[in-house]
Amino acid sequence: ALSQAMKAARCPTDELSITNCAVVHESDLKSIHVAVITGPGQRYVFTLKSHHSVVPGTIAFSLPQRKWAGLSLGQDVQVEPFEFDKTKNSIGTMTIEVDFLQKKTADSNPYDSDKMATDFVGQFISQSFSVGQQLVFSFAGKLFGLIVKGIEAVDPNILKGDATSGKQNKILTGVSYQNTQVIFEKAENSNLNLTGKSKTKQGRQSIINPDWNFEKMGIGGLDREFSDIFRRAFASRVFPPDIVEQMELSHVKCVPVEGKPPTFKSVMLNELGSTMQFRYPHHGVERGREAVGDREWPSRQPPPTPPSRHRRCDQCGVNSGLHIIIFDEIDAICKQRGSMAGSTGVHDTVVNQLLSKIDGVEQLNNILVIGMTNRPDLIDEALLRPGRLEVKMEIGLPDNKGRIQILNIHTARMRDNGLLASDVDVNELAVETKNFSGAELEGLVRAAQSTAMNRHIKATTKVEVDMEKAERLQVTREDFLGALDSDIKPAFGTNTEDYQSYIMNGIVNWGEPVHRVLEDGDLLVQQAKMSERTPLVSVLLAGTA
């Protein structure tokens, strides 16, 4: 083939820039494809087009083409005709990375990859493509920047009419034809929303850390609650987006978590960061202002910049990491509208603003709103309707199994370091701590530790530690029982002191009716205490005054 010396030039029109063709004057080369040689071992294949506006002796390229080939304007190049062997270089499948050509034109609208593939083949049929090649693609009124990531040739057996061999034949350069299959993959950090089947399955970062467990998180007794939250709020998010899209499934957007204090609501949700690989949680109420005039501000402004220890969100759209917005004590800003007598109506404005924001949140894979409260009765009913705070989760007191988990968590370090006496039975303590919350169980352990340390403190003219005995420090069963008797009392259940005052002189068993009531009552108490099926028993005592 005859080589011709030419100079690189700028593409004369915008229309020619998006044809993916190198452009020459009508009197120059007549080949369909040319190889442009920019230096030793630097050879780039282009499909050729002619236009009268190009200066003779020059070959014009678009900006993406010049970037790919490393060309500068006016650079001397050698150009020679190029012929494809269509039995080896016909493109069967081509994988292309796609993104908006200009970031300012980016949007979140869905783009059908199937239609994009059809239009692409129609615009660029019988053109040359090489791995790494850059080009511009016009689709749906937008310009997209494309990079060819991989090319597979058509199986030669298919061209001969024989059965396919099933082998993948990757090539560096090929020519497209009417049956070329195009697969689009979204560029990294792009907010392009691709739909349809002509796209690669995105390599998704799991939102669940693979090595998490409750004991490492320092949370116990919340297995059932976490399971419920995971099932309703996160289960659909761990499935591939393609399956979710085919099911037309809408993710749960908001979850209210309620429970009397102190039941570790905040602890559980704050520690979810160790389990869920989501972005920095934004605490909504923390951003409120003391002044009444600033109350609406938190629901309208974007979240504040996260602390430096949190990785800043660099991605947008449906493929970015999970974002969780937490409203701690949500009842403080979402009270029933019209319930604040004598107010300026600012609370109603906050509720209205929040409702509009929640309804405006698109069904994305990366947004979840969690509201925490111990007064769900104060929250405006409109927020609790389906599509808003629809999945209600109540965090209650831990059962016997949960109390064992919590006690094991808070005594683990002592056990590992030989500071927990052998007579301490966590199962026994769990039985003795019925109606204790997780925070109260943690307080019980601290109280027992304080009692054990106090034994080794000398209080004479000055307070000092007996170091000889301190090295043999152990927290014993008696320390825990002492803390139960004098330090830690559960916030739930019967007040022991009040109860003792009622039966200060005992119960007078004056006859068979009293005996029968006491006997039946004891059976019911044992049933509530021991049975797994009926942990709650209600009794009505009726009689004449």
Side-chain angles (χ1 to χ4, degrees), residues 145-192:
L146 309 183
I147 301 177
V148 179
K149 306 298 287 187
I151 299 175
E152 291 182 13
V154 177
D155 191 331
N157 292 336
I158 295 179
L159 297 176
K160 298 175 183 177
D162 300 334
T164 178
S165 64
K167 295 181 180 180
Q168 291 185 345
N169 184 19
K170 294 186 177 181
I171 55 176
L172 296 178
T173 302
V175 61
S176 63
Y177 74 117
Q178 68 270 18
N179 291 327
T180 295
Q181 181 183 1
V182 178
I183 299 174
F184 290 101
E185 65 177 28
K186 187 175 70 70
E188 186 177 0
N189 299 332
S190 170
N191 64 344
L192 176 62

CSV table of all heavy atoms in Angstrom, one decimal, residues 145-192:
chain,number,residue,atom,x,y,z
A,145,GLY,N,-19.8,10.6,25.6
A,145,GLY,CA,-18.4,10.2,25.3
A,145,GLY,C,-18.3,8.7,25.5
A,145,GLY,O,-18.7,8.2,26.5
A,146,LEU,N,-17.7,8.1,24.5
A,146,LEU,CA,-17.6,6.6,24.5
A,146,LEU,C,-16.1,6.2,24.5
A,146,LEU,O,-15.3,6.9,23.8
A,146,LEU,CB,-18.3,6.0,23.3
A,146,LEU,CG,-19.8,6.4,23.1
A,146,LEU,CD1,-20.3,5.6,21.9
A,146,LEU,CD2,-20.6,6.1,24.3
A,147,ILE,N,-15.8,5.1,25.1
A,147,ILE,CA,-14.5,4.5,25.0
A,147,ILE,C,-14.7,3.0,24.8
A,147,ILE,O,-15.4,2.3,25.5
A,147,ILE,CB,-13.6,4.7,26.3
A,147,ILE,CG1,-13.5,6.2,26.6
A,147,ILE,CG2,-12.3,4.0,26.2
A,147,ILE,CD1,-12.7,6.5,27.9
A,148,VAL,N,-14.0,2.5,23.7
A,148,VAL,CA,-14.1,1.1,23.4
A,148,VAL,C,-13.3,0.3,24.4
A,148,VAL,O,-12.1,0.5,24.5
A,148,VAL,CB,-13.7,0.8,22.0
A,148,VAL,CG1,-13.8,-0.7,21.7
A,148,VAL,CG2,-14.5,1.6,21.0
A,149,LYS,N,-13.9,-0.6,25.2
A,149,LYS,CA,-13.2,-1.4,26.2
A,149,LYS,C,-12.8,-2.8,25.8
A,149,LYS,O,-11.9,-3.3,26.3
A,149,LYS,CB,-14.1,-1.5,27.5
A,149,LYS,CG,-14.6,-0.1,28.0
A,149,LYS,CD,-13.4,0.8,28.4
A,149,LYS,CE,-12.8,0.3,29.7
A,149,LYS,NZ,-11.8,1.3,30.2
A,150,GLY,N,-13.6,-3.4,24.9
A,150,GLY,CA,-13.2,-4.7,24.5
A,150,GLY,C,-14.0,-5.1,23.2
A,150,GLY,O,-15.1,-4.6,22.9
A,151,ILE,N,-13.3,-5.9,22.3
A,151,ILE,CA,-13.9,-6.3,21.1
A,151,ILE,C,-13.8,-7.8,20.9
A,151,ILE,O,-12.7,-8.4,21.2
A,151,ILE,CB,-13.3,-5.6,19.9
A,151,ILE,CG1,-13.4,-4.1,20.0
A,151,ILE,CG2,-13.8,-6.1,18.6
A,151,ILE,CD1,-12.7,-3.4,18.9
A,152,GLU,N,-14.8,-8.5,20.5
A,152,GLU,CA,-14.8,-9.9,20.2
A,152,GLU,C,-15.2,-10.1,18.7
A,152,GLU,O,-16.2,-9.6,18.3
A,152,GLU,CB,-15.7,-10.8,21.1
A,152,GLU,CG,-15.2,-10.8,22.6
A,152,GLU,CD,-16.1,-11.7,23.4
A,152,GLU,OE1,-16.9,-12.4,22.9
A,152,GLU,OE2,-15.9,-11.6,24.7
A,153,ALA,N,-14.5,-10.9,18.0
A,153,ALA,CA,-14.8,-11.1,16.6
A,153,ALA,C,-15.9,-12.1,16.5
A,153,ALA,O,-16.1,-13.0,17.3
A,153,ALA,CB,-13.5,-11.6,15.8
A,154,VAL,N,-16.6,-12.0,15.3
A,154,VAL,CA,-17.6,-13.0,15.0
A,154,VAL,C,-17.0,-14.4,14.8
A,154,VAL,O,-15.9,-14.5,14.2
A,154,VAL,CB,-18.4,-12.6,13.7
A,154,VAL,CG1,-19.4,-13.7,13.4
A,154,VAL,CG2,-19.1,-11.3,14.0
A,155,ASP,N,-17.6,-15.4,15.3
A,155,ASP,CA,-17.0,-16.8,15.1
A,155,ASP,C,-17.0,-17.1,13.6
A,155,ASP,O,-18.1,-17.0,12.9
A,155,ASP,CB,-17.9,-17.8,15.9
A,155,ASP,CG,-17.3,-19.2,15.9
A,155,ASP,OD1,-16.6,-19.5,15.0
A,155,ASP,OD2,-17.6,-19.9,16.9
A,156,PRO,N,-15.9,-17.4,13.1
A,156,PRO,CA,-15.8,-17.7,11.6
A,156,PRO,C,-16.8,-18.8,11.2
A,156,PRO,O,-17.3,-18.8,10.0
A,156,PRO,CB,-14.4,-18.1,11.4
A,156,PRO,CG,-13.6,-17.5,12.5
A,156,PRO,CD,-14.6,-17.6,13.7
A,157,ASN,N,-17.1,-19.7,12.0
A,157,ASN,CA,-18.0,-20.8,11.7
A,157,ASN,C,-19.4,-20.3,11.3
A,157,ASN,O,-20.1,-20.8,10.5
A,157,ASN,CB,-18.1,-21.8,12.8
A,157,ASN,CG,-16.8,-22.6,13.0
A,157,ASN,OD1,-16.1,-22.7,12.0
A,157,ASN,ND2,-16.6,-23.2,14.1
A,158,ILE,N,-19.8,-19.2,12.1
A,158,ILE,CA,-21.1,-18.6,11.8
A,158,ILE,C,-21.1,-18.0,10.4
A,158,ILE,O,-22.1,-18.1,9.7
A,158,ILE,CB,-21.4,-17.5,12.9
A,158,ILE,CG1,-21.6,-18.2,14.3
A,158,ILE,CG2,-22.7,-16.7,12.5
A,158,ILE,CD1,-21.8,-17.2,15.4
A,159,LEU,N,-20.0,-17.3,10.0
A,159,LEU,CA,-20.0,-16.7,8.7
A,159,LEU,C,-20.1,-17.8,7.6
A,159,LEU,O,-20.5,-17.5,6.5
A,159,LEU,CB,-18.7,-15.9,8.6
A,159,LEU,CG,-18.5,-14.7,9.5
A,159,LEU,CD1,-17.2,-14.1,9.4
A,159,LEU,CD2,-19.6,-13.7,9.3
A,160,LYS,N,-19.6,-19.0,7.9
A,160,LYS,CA,-19.6,-20.1,6.9
A,160,LYS,C,-21.0,-20.8,7.0
A,160,LYS,O,-21.2,-21.7,6.2
A,160,LYS,CB,-18.5,-21.1,7.2
A,160,LYS,CG,-17.1,-20.5,7.1
A,160,LYS,CD,-16.1,-21.5,7.5
A,160,LYS,CE,-14.7,-20.9,7.4
A,160,LYS,NZ,-13.6,-21.9,7.9
A,161,GLY,N,-21.8,-20.5,7.9
A,161,GLY,CA,-23.1,-21.2,8.1
A,161,GLY,C,-23.0,-22.5,8.9
A,161,GLY,O,-24.0,-23.2,8.9
A,162,ASP,N,-21.9,-22.7,9.6
A,162,ASP,CA,-21.7,-23.9,10.4
A,162,ASP,C,-22.1,-23.6,11.8
A,162,ASP,O,-22.4,-22.4,12.2
A,162,ASP,CB,-20.3,-24.4,10.3
A,162,ASP,CG,-19.9,-24.7,8.9
A,162,ASP,OD1,-20.8,-25.1,8.1
A,162,ASP,OD2,-18.6,-24.7,8.6
A,163,ALA,N,-22.1,-24.6,12.7
A,163,ALA,CA,-22.4,-24.4,14.1
A,163,ALA,C,-21.3,-23.7,14.8
A,163,ALA,O,-20.1,-23.8,14.4
A,163,ALA,CB,-22.6,-25.8,14.8
A,164,THR,N,-21.6,-22.9,15.8
A,164,THR,CA,-20.6,-22.1,16.4
A,164,THR,C,-19.6,-22.9,17.2
A,164,THR,O,-20.0,-24.0,17.8
A,164,THR,CB,-21.3,-21.0,17.4
A,164,THR,OG1,-20.3,-20.3,18.1
A,164,THR,CG2,-22.2,-21.7,18.4
A,165,SER,N,-18.4,-22.5,17.3
A,165,SER,CA,-17.4,-23.2,18.1
A,165,SER,C,-17.4,-22.9,19.6
A,165,SER,O,-16.9,-23.6,20.4
A,165,SER,CB,-16.0,-22.9,17.6
A,165,SER,OG,-15.7,-21.5,17.8
A,166,GLY,N,-18.1,-21.8,19.9
A,166,GLY,CA,-18.2,-21.4,21.3
A,166,GLY,C,-17.0,-20.7,21.9
A,166,GLY,O,-16.9,-20.4,23.1
A,167,LYS,N,-16.0,-20.5,21.1
A,167,LYS,CA,-14.8,-19.8,21.6
A,167,LYS,C,-14.9,-18.3,21.4
A,167,LYS,O,-15.4,-17.8,20.5
A,167,LYS,CB,-13.6,-20.3,20.8
A,167,LYS,CG,-13.3,-21.8,20.9
A,167,LYS,CD,-12.0,-22.2,20.1
A,167,LYS,CE,-11.7,-23.7,20.3
A,167,LYS,NZ,-10.5,-24.1,19.5
A,168,GLN,N,-14.3,-17.6,22.4
A,168,GLN,CA,-14.3,-16.2,22.4
A,168,GLN,C,-13.0,-15.8,21.7
A,168,GLN,O,-11.9,-16.2,22.0
A,168,GLN,CB,-14.3,-15.6,23.8
A,168,GLN,CG,-15.6,-15.7,24.5
A,168,GLN,CD,-15.6,-15.0,25.9
A,168,GLN,OE1,-14.5,-14.7,26.4
A,168,GLN,NE2,-16.8,-14.8,26.4
A,169,ASN,N,-13.1,-14.9,20.7
A,169,ASN,CA,-12.0,-14.5,19.9
A,169,ASN,C,-11.8,-13.0,20.0
A,169,ASN,O,-12.4,-12.2,19.3
A,169,ASN,CB,-12.2,-14.9,18.4
A,169,ASN,CG,-11.0,-14.5,17.5
A,169,ASN,OD1,-9.9,-14.4,18.0
A,169,ASN,ND2,-11.2,-14.4,16.2
A,170,LYS,N,-11.0,-12.6,21.0
A,170,LYS,CA,-10.8,-11.2,21.3
A,170,LYS,C,-9.8,-10.6,20.3
A,170,LYS,O,-8.8,-11.2,20.0
A,170,LYS,CB,-10.3,-11.0,22.7
A,170,LYS,CG,-11.3,-11.4,23.8
A,170,LYS,CD,-10.9,-11.0,25.2
A,170,LYS,CE,-12.0,-11.3,26.2
A,170,LYS,NZ,-11.6,-11.0,27.6
A,171,ILE,N,-10.1,-9.4,19.8
A,171,ILE,CA,-9.3,-8.8,18.8
A,171,ILE,C,-9.1,-7.3,19.2
A,171,ILE,O,-9.8,-6.8,20.1
A,171,ILE,CB,-9.8,-8.8,17.4
A,171,ILE,CG1,-11.3,-8.2,17.4
A,171,ILE,CG2,-9.9,-10.3,16.9
A,171,ILE,CD1,-11.9,-8.2,16.0
A,172,LEU,N,-8.1,-6.7,18.7
A,172,LEU,CA,-7.8,-5.3,19.0
A,172,LEU,C,-8.5,-4.3,18.1
A,172,LEU,O,-8.9,-3.2,18.5
A,172,LEU,CB,-6.3,-5.0,19.0
A,172,LEU,CG,-5.5,-5.8,20.1
A,172,LEU,CD1,-4.0,-5.5,19.9
A,172,LEU,CD2,-5.9,-5.4,21.5
A,173,THR,N,-8.7,-4.7,16.8
A,173,THR,CA,-9.3,-3.8,15.8
A,173,THR,C,-10.3,-4.6,15.0
A,173,THR,O,-10.0,-5.8,14.7
A,173,THR,CB,-8.3,-3.2,14.9
A,173,THR,OG1,-7.3,-2.4,15.8
A,173,THR,CG2,-8.9,-2.2,13.9
A,174,GLY,N,-11.4,-4.0,14.7
A,174,GLY,CA,-12.4,-4.8,13.8
A,174,GLY,C,-13.3,-3.8,13.2
A,174,GLY,O,-13.2,-2.6,13.3
A,175,VAL,N,-14.2,-4.3,12.4
A,175,VAL,CA,-15.2,-3.5,11.6
A,175,VAL,C,-16.6,-4.0,12.0
A,175,VAL,O,-16.9,-5.2,12.1
A,175,VAL,CB,-15.0,-3.6,10.1
A,175,VAL,CG1,-15.1,-5.0,9.6
A,175,VAL,CG2,-15.9,-2.7,9.4
A,176,SER,N,-17.5,-3.0,12.3
A,176,SER,CA,-18.8,-3.3,12.7
A,176,SER,C,-19.7,-3.7,11.5
A,176,SER,O,-19.4,-3.3,10.4
A,176,SER,CB,-19.5,-2.1,13.4
A,176,SER,OG,-19.6,-1.0,12.5
A,177,TYR,N,-20.7,-4.4,11.7
A,177,TYR,CA,-21.7,-4.8,10.7
A,177,TYR,C,-23.1,-4.8,11.3
A,177,TYR,O,-23.3,-4.5,12.5
A,177,TYR,CB,-21.4,-6.1,10.0
A,177,TYR,CG,-21.6,-7.3,10.8
A,177,TYR,CD1,-22.5,-8.3,10.3
A,177,TYR,CD2,-21.0,-7.6,11.9
A,177,TYR,CE1,-22.8,-9.5,11.0
A,177,TYR,CE2,-21.2,-8.8,12.6
A,177,TYR,CZ,-22.1,-9.7,12.2
A,177,TYR,OH,-22.3,-10.8,12.9
A,178,GLN,N,-24.2,-5.1,10.6
A,178,GLN,CA,-25.5,-4.9,11.0
A,178,GLN,C,-25.9,-5.8,12.2
A,178,GLN,O,-26.8,-5.4,13.0
A,178,GLN,CB,-26.5,-5.1,9.9
A,178,GLN,CG,-26.7,-6.6,9.4
A,178,GLN,CD,-25.7,-6.8,8.3
A,178,GLN,OE1,-24.7,-6.1,8.1
A,178,GLN,NE2,-26.0,-7.9,7.5
A,179,ASN,N,-25.2,-6.9,12.5
A,179,ASN,CA,-25.5,-7.8,13.6
A,179,ASN,C,-24.6,-7.6,14.8
A,179,ASN,O,-24.6,-8.5,15.7
A,179,ASN,CB,-25.6,-9.2,13.1
A,179,ASN,CG,-26.8,-9.5,12.2
A,179,ASN,OD1,-27.8,-8.9,12.4
A,179,ASN,ND2,-26.6,-10.4,11.2
A,180,THR,N,-23.7,-6.6,14.7
A,180,THR,CA,-22.8,-6.4,15.9
A,180,THR,C,-23.6,-6.1,17.1
A,180,THR,O,-24.5,-5.3,17.1
A,180,THR,CB,-21.9,-5.2,15.6
A,180,THR,OG1,-21.0,-5.6,14.5
A,180,THR,CG2,-21.0,-4.9,16.8
A,181,GLN,N,-23.2,-6.8,18.2
A,181,GLN,CA,-23.9,-6.6,19.5
A,181,GLN,C,-23.1,-5.6,20.3
A,181,GLN,O,-21.9,-5.8,20.5
A,181,GLN,CB,-24.0,-7.9,20.3
A,181,GLN,CG,-24.7,-7.8,21.6
A,181,GLN,CD,-24.8,-9.1,22.4
A,181,GLN,OE1,-24.3,-10.1,21.9
A,181,GLN,NE2,-25.3,-9.0,23.6
A,182,VAL,N,-23.7,-4.6,20.8
A,182,VAL,CA,-23.1,-3.5,21.6
A,182,VAL,C,-23.5,-3.6,23.0
A,182,VAL,O,-24.7,-3.6,23.3
A,182,VAL,CB,-23.3,-2.1,21.0
A,182,VAL,CG1,-22.7,-1.1,21.8
A,182,VAL,CG2,-22.9,-2.1,19.5
A,183,ILE,N,-22.6,-3.7,23.9
A,183,ILE,CA,-22.9,-3.7,25.4
A,183,ILE,C,-22.3,-2.4,26.0
A,183,ILE,O,-21.1,-2.2,25.9
A,183,ILE,CB,-22.3,-4.9,26.0
A,183,ILE,CG1,-22.9,-6.2,25.4
A,183,ILE,CG2,-22.6,-4.9,27.5
A,183,ILE,CD1,-22.3,-7.5,25.9
A,184,PHE,N,-23.1,-1.7,26.7
A,184,PHE,CA,-22.7,-0.4,27.3
A,184,PHE,C,-22.4,-0.7,28.8
A,184,PHE,O,-23.2,-1.4,29.5
A,184,PHE,CB,-23.7,0.7,27.2
A,184,PHE,CG,-23.9,1.2,25.8
A,184,PHE,CD1,-24.9,0.8,25.0
A,184,PHE,CD2,-23.0,2.1,25.2
A,184,PHE,CE1,-25.1,1.2,23.7
A,184,PHE,CE2,-23.1,2.5,23.9
A,184,PHE,CZ,-24.2,2.1,23.2
A,185,GLU,N,-21.3,-0.1,29.3
A,185,GLU,CA,-21.1,-0.1,30.7
A,185,GLU,C,-20.9,1.4,31.2
A,185,GLU,O,-20.2,2.1,30.5
A,185,GLU,CB,-19.9,-1.0,31.1
A,185,GLU,CG,-18.6,-0.5,30.6
A,185,GLU,CD,-17.4,-1.4,31.1
A,185,GLU,OE1,-17.7,-2.6,31.3
A,185,GLU,OE2,-16.3,-0.9,31.2
A,186,LYS,N,-21.5,1.7,32.3
A,186,LYS,CA,-21.4,3.1,32.8
A,186,LYS,C,-20.0,3.3,33.3
A,186,LYS,O,-19.3,2.5,34.0
A,186,LYS,CB,-22.4,3.2,34.0
A,186,LYS,CG,-22.5,4.6,34.5
A,186,LYS,CD,-23.6,4.7,35.5
A,186,LYS,CE,-23.2,4.0,36.8
A,186,LYS,NZ,-22.1,4.7,37.5
A,187,ALA,N,-19.5,4.5,33.0
A,187,ALA,CA,-18.1,4.9,33.4
A,187,ALA,C,-18.1,5.1,34.9
A,187,ALA,O,-19.1,5.4,35.6
A,187,ALA,CB,-17.7,6.3,32.8
A,188,GLU,N,-16.9,4.8,35.5
A,188,GLU,CA,-16.8,4.9,37.0
A,188,GLU,C,-17.1,6.3,37.4
A,188,GLU,O,-16.7,7.3,36.8
A,188,GLU,CB,-15.4,4.5,37.4
A,188,GLU,CG,-15.1,4.5,38.9
A,188,GLU,CD,-13.7,4.0,39.2
A,188,GLU,OE1,-12.9,3.8,38.3
A,188,GLU,OE2,-13.4,4.0,40.4
A,189,ASN,N,-17.8,6.4,38.5
A,189,ASN,CA,-18.2,7.7,39.2
A,189,ASN,C,-19.2,8.5,38.3
A,189,ASN,O,-19.4,9.7,38.6
A,189,ASN,CB,-17.0,8.6,39.4
A,189,ASN,CG,-16.0,8.0,40.4
A,189,ASN,OD1,-16.4,7.1,41.2
A,189,ASN,ND2,-14.7,8.3,40.3
A,190,SER,N,-19.8,7.9,37.3
A,190,SER,CA,-20.8,8.6,36.5
A,190,SER,C,-22.2,8.4,37.1
A,190,SER,O,-22.5,7.4,37.8
A,190,SER,CB,-20.8,8.0,35.1
A,190,SER,OG,-21.9,8.5,34.4
A,191,ASN,N,-23.0,9.4,36.9
A,191,ASN,CA,-24.4,9.3,37.4
A,191,ASN,C,-25.4,9.0,36.3
A,191,ASN,O,-26.6,9.2,36.4
A,191,ASN,CB,-24.8,10.7,38.1
A,191,ASN,CG,-24.9,11.8,37.1
A,191,ASN,OD1,-24.3,11.7,36.0
A,191,ASN,ND2,-25.5,12.9,37.5
A,192,LEU,N,-24.8,8.5,35.2
A,192,LEU,CA,-25.7,8.0,34.1
A,192,LEU,C,-26.5,6.8,34.5
A,192,LEU,O,-26.0,5.9,35.1
A,192,LEU,CB,-24.8,7.6,32.9
A,192,LEU,CG,-25.5,7.1,31.7
A,192,LEU,CD1,-26.5,8.1,31.1
A,192,LEU,CD2,-24.5,6.6,30.6
